Amino acid sequence: MSRAGQLVGRDTWPHSMIHTIAIPPDAQMAPLMRGYAASVSARRRQMLLGAAIAILAFLLACIGAEVDPDKFWANLGNFGGYFYRISKLDTGSFAWTDPVEWYWGLGRWLRLLGETLLMAYLGTATGFVGGFLACFLCSRNLVARAWVRFTARRMLEFCRTVPDIVFAQIFVIAFGLGPLPGVLAIAIHTTGALGKLFSEVVESIDMKPVEGVAASGGTWVEQIRFGVLPQVLSNFASYGILRFEVNVRGATVLGFVGAGGIGEELLLAIRKFFYSDVSAILLLVAICVMVIDLASEHIRHRLLTIEGGKT
Amino acid sequence: MSERAALVARFPAAFAPNWSARVQTIGVVGGAVGLYIFGLVTLDFDPSRIMRGFARLGDIFEMMLPPTPDSWSRGQLYFEALIQTLSIAFLGTLMAAILAVPLGFLAARNIVANWLLHILARRGLDTMRSVDTLIWALIWINVVGLGPFAGALAIMTADIAAFGKLMSEAIETADRKPVEGVAAAGGNRLEAIRFGIIPQILPIFASQVLYFFESNTRSATIIGIVGAGGIGLYLSEEIRVLEWQRAAFLILMVLVTVAIIDQISQRLRAAIMGNRGR
């Protein structure tokens, strides 16, 4: 900085085009430069302190997570090797050279994948209704009583903090194996997640229509039906579809604990080293999730433009 | 009421039902309900089984009270597992964040103009994102063996993609003016990125890292179900052997930890985003 200043100020000034930049004399510059240096070094100190804390936490975490670099480097080849192995059939040729052999269980896998999707749908739809009913109770602008809001919020928090697979494991014991516990687990988790998002949407609405309905004698339910719903419905739908996307991904692993879907088949294939089956199922799942992602993105975009057109 | 009749007579168009909108609504809702019923039938949901299940769930809940680890030494064991869970979440998030930086720059349209490379980076990230953390954990267990390290690596692989995407979006929406300023002052491309782009995206990225750490704490609590370390191992074990009081204690531990981490991270995020202003 100071070097540039001298260059412009002294040596080149009479000949240069940029002589309009006035460099103050050193006596005036010194305090400014000192101030600049001080603020830079303060920021640098802050930065270094942050980095030191991060590195310390990183080292502690390495100990906590039993990181073993030697083992990691020694086995890293296995990672690539694993993907190499799952790309081969038992006959030794690459899987894609013989799709019929690779996807020998296609009918069964598609059925299981369909089951997974249905589970995600049922769970999301049930959770949507649950979150829908709960969200009005925890919105500040619709419920005046603080204890109602507090209870509703804590309930939702509990529903979304306990992971769905833990719910699934408990439900498997209560309801028996199969998709039913999976659907319930997704439904409860979704209720918690959507209820929170919905209530945030409801709290940000325009209150004038609600007051209008109240002024013409509408009950609380009528206020919500005619004052709130028209404002929030497209947003709700968009969040619901986004949640469906998340739940499809989650439903693919619920089978790990016996709660239905394609997860159980995948777990078996990985545990029993049916290599080509692993790649076949993984690919099916990945394609399915990606298609749903794209479709949901498309629909959500349209929903938001509908809303934009209305207002 | 007669007033209303007069109004209807005067403005029939305003009171006429909007049939096309109604048909659309009925179609969407009907389709959703139909699919729901189809699902209930296909998955063979039996009402009596559901009722019996809820009764048993009530029993289970009763057996959970009061939550206790039963002995001091087991409590210590759980606590160590909890620390391990946090380590897994932290390590996985940090590794993902570090690895995502170059990927994010690759996937950003205004840094790498080559569309083929751009599309490859984006699609690759999408494929990784569509596989769940637990599946990644199973795969990593094959590589580094059972234990928390596999869990940290699983969280890393599941998150790189999401991070990379966020990163590239932040870079693409960054203000161009500082970059042009650096270039005009004679800086090269690397300096333009260092002084023009990084100061803009660093706070966004840091707050995203914290946010992911929050959500990864939740993921890390379950990753033990497949044997990749952390508190999930004990949790699934105690549920399997029907030790409900211990299971409830573990669930409580998870709830409290997640709440604390949420609070800390919210504060930190507010501080990071706040001191930049705007």
Side-chain angles (χ1 to χ4, degrees), chain B residues 150-192:
Chain B
L153 288 169
I155 286 192
M156 178 193 84
T157 12
D159 270 8
I160 285 180
F163 264 133
K165 198 172 171 203
L166 282 169
M167 183 85 180
S168 66
E169 273 162 11
I171 295 168
E172 278 175 7
T173 54
D175 190 1
R176 300 291 300 161
K177 289 190 203 96
V179 182
E180 284 160 14
V182 174
N188 62 25
R189 221 175 144 61
L190 209 63
E191 281 166 339

Side-chain angles (χ1 to χ4, degrees), chain A residues 43 46-47 53-54 57-69 71-72 75-80 82-83 85-86 115 118-119 121-123 125-126 157-158 160-166 169-171 173-181 183-184 245 249-250 252-253 256-257 266-267 270-271 273 278 282 285-287 289-290 293-294 297 302, chain B residues 24 31-33 35-40 42-43 45-46 49-54 56-57 60 64 83-84 86-88 90-91 94-95 98 123 126-127 129-136 138-150 152-153 157 165 202 218 221-222 225-227 232 235-237 239-240 242 244 251 254-255 258-259 275-276:
Chain A
R43 250 183 52 198
Q46 216 177 7
M47 202 63 189
I53 291 174
F58 181 75
L59 292 177
L60 284 178
C62 284
I63 298 170
E66 295 169 17
V67 171
D68 187 348
K71 202 163 150 194
F72 177 68
N75 290 325
L76 190 62
N78 282 358
F79 189 63
Y82 190 76
F83 283 97
R85 277 199 300 275
I86 65 174
E115 188 180 294
L118 267 184
M119 279 167 58
Y121 175 71
L122 288 184
T126 314
E157 211 171 84
F158 174 78
R160 69 170 179 273
T161 307
V162 179
D164 49 2
I165 204 160
V166 173
Q169 227 181 350
I170 296 174
F171 291 165
I173 290 166
F175 293 90
L177 294 168
L180 175 59
V183 168
L184 285 175
E245 207 181 304
R249 209 168 299 161
T252 56
V253 295
F256 286 10
V257 295
L266 181 60
L267 185 73
I270 294 180
R271 287 262 162 92
F273 305 107
V278 175
L282 271 183
V285 169
I287 290 173
V289 170
M290 262 199 296
D293 277 10
L294 287 177
E297 205 177 307
R302 274 197 52 196
Chain B
Q24 216 180 350
V33 173
L35 188 58
Y36 195 85
I37 292 170
F38 171 76
L40 288 181
T42 316
L43 296 184
F45 280 12
D46 174 11
R49 188 178 151 208
I50 297 179
M51 290 328 289
R52 258 180 292 139
F54 273 114
R56 214 171 307 158
L57 204 59
I60 289 175
M64 281 183 170
I83 298 289
Q84 201 174 59
L86 288 179
S87 303
I88 293 172
F90 183 78
L91 207 60
L94 203 64
M95 289 194 293
I98 292 168
R123 286 290 147 257
D126 277 351
T127 317
R129 214 159 55 95
S130 60
V131 176
D132 195 89
T133 316
L134 279 183
I135 300 176
W136 280 118
L138 280 175
I139 293 175
W140 277 112
I141 284 174
N142 281 314
V143 178
V144 294
L146 290 168
F149 191 30
L153 288 169
T157 12
K165 198 172 171 203
L202 205 58
R218 288 157 210 245
T221 56
I222 56 164
I225 287 178
V226 295
L235 185 52
S236 73
E237 218 31 62
I239 293 176
R240 212 170 291 152
L242 310 181
W244 293 113
I251 292 176
V254 169
L255 287 179
V258 169
N275 66 19
R276 298 275 152 169

